[in-house]
Amino acid sequence: MSDLMMRPGPVDGRHGCLADLAATPLADFLPFALPDITSAEIDEVVACLRSGWITTGPKVARFEREFAAMLGSDVEAVAVSSATAGLHLALEAAGIGPGDEVIVPVHTFTATAEVVVYLGATPVFVDVLPGQLTMDPEAVEAAITPRTRALMPVHYAGLACDMRRLIALAERHGLAVIEDAAHALPTTHGGILIGAQPTLATVFSFYATKTVAAGEGGMLVTRDPAIARRARVMRLHGINRDVFDRYQGKGGGWYYEVVAPGFKYNLTDIGASLALVQLARMHEMRARREFIARAYLDAFDGLPVDLPPAAPPGDMHAWHLFPILVRDDAPMSRNELIDALRNQGIGTSVHYVPLHMHPYWRDSYVLEAERFPVSTDAYRRMVSLPIYSKMSDGNLAQVVTAVRQLLGQP
Ligand SMILES: *Cc1c(COP(=O)(O)O)cnc(C)c1O
């Protein structure tokens, strides 16, 4: 892990989060993101390595059980190799295909929309609400056509979308709701955890920078047994049983059947070992991020920036990200602030370059920036500050002091 963190350049340029991880060239540099790995995670991984079973097996089974139990009795959890894989499987299991339209927000990571394209369906892009930057229910309603089959809310930064409205809208139009919950572990909406809302499926990410980190990994959760069954088959080559069942299970034996051209999307027991301990520490880690978020909200009150909204009273914000928007009356621009913070040894990022500003999405779907004014404006002014449980009080004070000084309130 530290090897990856210390590598000075982009590892493969695959996505922004990976670049976040790689941007740590100096020993005294506060990285934008760091996983919070204790000896408990290390011991669990070592035990897995010593056990002789390192791919999908008993640890994945236990991780699925514990994840489902955390969400409630009627939820099934299907572990996968990434959230991207889980979103792909959820849409596939929902029967999304050519000719279908799926509504996605522009203010997200490219994975949310690319899985729609994997299936030959058409992503339909909508703008987000000012402030919380989650998909705008009115824009969703306006985007619905007779071909619309599903919508994919993204709980941006760890704050829940307006699920009450989105679910009501989906019910009224007979649409599936598949939640991209890559930022939302743990998040609640109306006192109910994301993952336990009445939607078709919810997908979490255990990517290295996420709130529960296993390096790579994802979890598809659903209340629909048919969706879970299909996803279990399709995550492993369309084979009707898991590797573990085939070789170790009660049924044993060599025989298996391929019932569909599936994918290779299974999670390893090595990853599940890490994720199991991280899951047990999920609330402890969130509490630290909440503390950091509260400190930032306090310290930056009165600065020429728009601050991210907190969760409504009684609800939980996962605080995966802390994006601030630099106002035009600030003493420096967003880009200048990023450079100045880097010069002071503080890593930042931008979440996101909206999809309509990436060449592929912009050109293939003819997306004009004027159609997405909220996302376009947020992108122009946005900086994501470090917010992770490994940050010390000293690290926090360093960021607070630097931002206040640079934005004109020493
Ligand atoms: C990280 C992320 C994903 C992809 O997660 P992976 O586990 O890396 O596939 C999808 N959507 C959003 C919003 C993300 O931040």
Side-chain angles (χ1 to χ4, degrees), residues 357-387:
M357 300 181 85
H358 286 287
Y360 172 74
W361 299 113
R362 182 191 59 212
D363 299 344
S364 308
Y365 295 86
V366 198
L367 305 176
E368 291 110 1
E370 305 78 64
R371 280 170 52 201
F372 311 101
V374 177
S375 173
T376 303
D377 171 66
Y379 164 63
R380 185 176 65 81
R381 301 192 289 119
M382 166 177 291
V383 186
S384 290
L385 298 178
I387 181 165

Side-chain angles (χ1 to χ4, degrees), residues 15 82-84 108-109 111-112 154 180 182-183 205 207 210 217 352:
H15 75 55
S82 68
T84 307
T108 186
F109 183 56
T112 318
V154 178
D180 179 339
H183 301 183
S205 173
Y207 180 67
K210 301 289 159 73
Y352 291 92

Side-chain angles (χ1 to χ4, degrees), residues 58-139:
K59 298 277 195 184
V60 166
R62 203 179 112 210
F63 182 43
E64 288 181 337
R65 276 197 309 277
E66 293 189 10
F67 203 95
M70 178 266 295
L71 292 171
S73 54
D74 57 344
V75 172
E76 277 199 68
V78 180
V80 287
S81 52
S82 68
T84 307
L87 291 168
H88 183 193
L89 292 179
L91 290 174
E92 199 276 342
I96 305 294
D100 295 335
E101 293 177 357
V102 177
I103 300 176
V104 299
V106 284
H107 209 85
T108 186
F109 183 56
T110 193
T112 318
E114 79 191 11
V115 294
V116 177
V117 178
Y118 289 178
L119 292 160
T122 305
V124 172
F125 299 90
V126 296
D127 204 1
V128 289
L129 293 167
Q132 73 175 83
L133 305 181
T134 53
M135 82 196 307
D136 177 351
E138 273 171 33

Side-chain angles (χ1 to χ4, degrees), residues 14 17 41 56 72 77 83 130 183 204 239 261 272 300 318 329 335 347 359 364 389:
R14 180 179 66 104
C17 304
E41 280 88 344
T56 312
H183 301 183
F204 297 91
I239 290 172
F300 304 151
D329 61 342
N335 287 354
S364 308
S389 45

